[in-house]
Amino acid sequence: MAAIRASSLRLQTRIVSLTRTKMSSMAGLAVSQHGYPPQSREPWTKLTHRERLPEWSAYNPKTMRPPPLSHDTKCMKILSWNVNGLHDVVTTEGFSALGLGQRENFDVLCLQETHLEEKDVEKFKNLIAGYDNSYWSCSVSRLGYSGTAVISRVKPISVQYGLGIREHDHEGRIITLEFDGFYLVNAYVPNSGRFLRRLTYRVNSWDPCFSNYVKILEKSKPVIVAGDLNCARQSIDIHNPPAKTKSAGFTIEERESFETNLSSRGFVDTFRKQHPNAVGYTFWGENQRITNKGWRLDYFLVSESIADKVHDSYILPDVSFSDHSPIGLVLKL
């Protein structure tokens, strides 16, 4: 009888163990589906960088953001987000565009990788109540690919689509809004792709043309570049630098092009200026968000003339309905 009881006890223990494993797996699935992880799970606060320096620390928006500006301070709050398919995000259980607007109280929302066709835009024009100005650019060469949008409660002075160069303007990658004090350029820079098949096009053609475009704008007003620039600038901006030097987004050619065409021409990386030693990512590969093995590919770059007007440049890592998280900028006017 003792042997039978022992065998029964072992069987019950095995069943409990399997049940717990299954429940844990289901809980993890719920997190990935609903987008907002439980407050007790904040993997972005864990420093997992493979080549960390002693002064580096993991970016935590709860402790590293400055206090909000007073209500009588004029400012504009801009969010930028690569949604990797707007339809998929909007139909994900737990997501609310209105809820995001109410939570963040932004003035302008820049989106990249909407993946919309022109015939589908009408469905999304009223995505957020109170944001009555929306502008959409869709790929015409490859339907359901790339695409950008800007949704704003502030009406711009003017709107321009593309760079004005046919070679670069068929994938819906650029929307420029002119406001009183600056131009806002929403950009989705081409990814160099698998086997780096678009690397030469990107660094030899797209990047210089884009740089010249924003510099021409800058002759009239300061410029803010928002979006997915598809490049981790420095080793601090990617989890495992040595393993990625031949991967799209971290090649020597792309990083040198970023410095040559943007940084050295006076465009300030606002997050890095505010947080010189913070390891903060905006993109994670499949199943890598939970371990915080990411890349910082999304930026707000500003003209040097308004860099000191930036009150806050931040990441919202808890908004995880896409493989990118939104980033934000608060600019004093």
Side-chain angles (χ1 to χ4, degrees):
M1 291 294 292
I4 293 175
R5 284 197 299 270
S7 177
S8 176
L9 180 61
R10 285 195 298 270
L11 178 61
Q12 291 176 20
T13 301
R14 175 64 175 163
I15 291 172
V16 169
S17 176
L18 288 172
T19 301
R20 285 176 176 170
T21 300
K22 183 176 181 180
M23 290 178 65
S24 176
S25 176
M26 291 175 65
L29 180 61
V31 168
S32 65
Q33 288 179 338
H34 287 76
Y36 294 102
Q39 291 298 309
S40 59
R41 294 187 182 180
E42 297 182 340
W44 53 87
T45 63
K46 297 178 182 178
L47 185 60
T48 58
H49 198 287
R50 292 289 297 273
E51 295 189 329
R52 71 190 77 173
L53 297 181
E55 62 270 25
W56 289 1
S57 59
Y59 176 71
N60 185 350
K62 287 185 177 180
T63 60
M64 293 184 175
R65 292 185 62 183
L69 292 168
S70 61
H71 292 295
D72 58 351
T73 302
K74 291 186 64 176
C75 66
M76 182 174 281
K77 187 174 186 178
I78 307 169
L79 246 60
S80 175
W81 189 15
N82 180 323
V83 290
N84 193 17
L86 184 58
H87 178 269
D88 291 343
V89 167
V90 169
T91 56
T92 299
E93 182 181 355
F95 177 77
S96 166
L98 178 60
L100 181 64
Q102 291 173 338
R103 170 185 140 166
E104 295 302 318
N105 192 29
F106 50 78
D107 297 296
V108 184
L109 173 62
C110 298
L111 301 176
Q112 304 90 41
E113 275 205 278
T114 56
H115 295 177
L116 297 183
E117 297 181 36
E118 291 181 351
K119 65 181 179 64
D120 299 322
V121 166
E122 196 65 33
K123 304 173 188 176
F124 296 91
K125 281 192 172 179
N126 300 312
L127 186 63
I128 309 176
Y131 293 78
D132 299 327
N133 309 284
S134 69
Y135 310 93
W136 307 79
S137 185
C138 302
S139 172
V140 294
S141 62
R142 179 179 169 188
L143 300 182
Y145 172 72
S146 186
T148 50
V150 181
I151 299 169
S152 176
R153 61 183 174 195
V154 181
K155 188 174 179 63
I157 297 171
S158 66
V159 181
Q160 179 175 327
Y161 300 91
L163 299 177
I165 302 173
R166 180 176 297 182
E167 177 189 1
H168 303 312
D169 289 346
H170 52 83
E171 293 180 343
R173 294 183 176 275
I174 301 289
I175 303 177
T176 301
L177 275 64
E178 179 187 3
F179 293 103
D180 286 337
F182 58 89
Y183 287 101
L184 172 63
V185 180
N186 179 23
Y188 176 46
V189 172
N191 190 305
S192 294
R194 291 187 64 189
F195 309 115
L196 304 177
R197 61 179 177 268
R198 297 191 85 183
L199 177 62
T200 299
Y201 162 70
R202 175 183 172 167
V203 300
N204 290 344
S205 187
W206 169 276
D207 286 356
C209 288
F210 179 67
S211 176
N212 290 337
Y213 171 74
V214 292
K215 290 304 289 186
I216 290 172
L217 292 177
E218 199 177 41
K219 292 179 180 179
S220 301
K221 294 180 179 181
V223 175
I224 298 173
V225 175
D228 178 359
L229 304 189
N230 262 317
C231 180
R233 283 186 58 209
Q234 302 167 326
S235 293
I236 191 175
D237 297 315
I238 186 169
H239 160 67
N240 188 2
K244 300 296 183 181
T245 54
K246 294 184 179 180
S247 299
F250 196 63
T251 63
I252 294 174
E253 293 90 342
E254 289 165 310
R255 286 179 284 147
E256 287 181 347
S257 180
F258 194 113
E259 298 307 310
T260 298
N261 290 294
L262 294 169
S263 300
S264 68
R265 298 194 76 179
F267 286 96
V268 178
D269 177 352
T270 58
F271 180 85
R272 188 54 64 213
K273 181 176 185 292
Q274 183 175 336
H275 303 287
N277 294 311
V279 179
Y281 304 129
T282 65
F283 165 81
W284 296 263
E286 186 175 359
N287 299 322
Q288 291 191 330
R289 186 186 288 263
I290 196 65
T291 54
N292 199 31
K293 297 177 179 179
W295 308 50
R296 189 169 72 97
L297 301 177
D298 305 83
Y299 297 81
F300 278 103
L301 308 180
V302 302
S303 298
E304 285 179 326
S305 60
I306 58 170
D308 289 340
K309 293 184 178 181
V310 174
H311 173 70
D312 194 8
S313 184
Y314 57 96
I315 302 169
L316 296 174
D318 64 315
V319 182
S320 53
F321 295 94
S322 165
D323 50 5
H324 293 249
S325 282
I327 59 173
L329 184 82
V330 179
L331 183 75
K332 293 181 284 187
L333 301 177

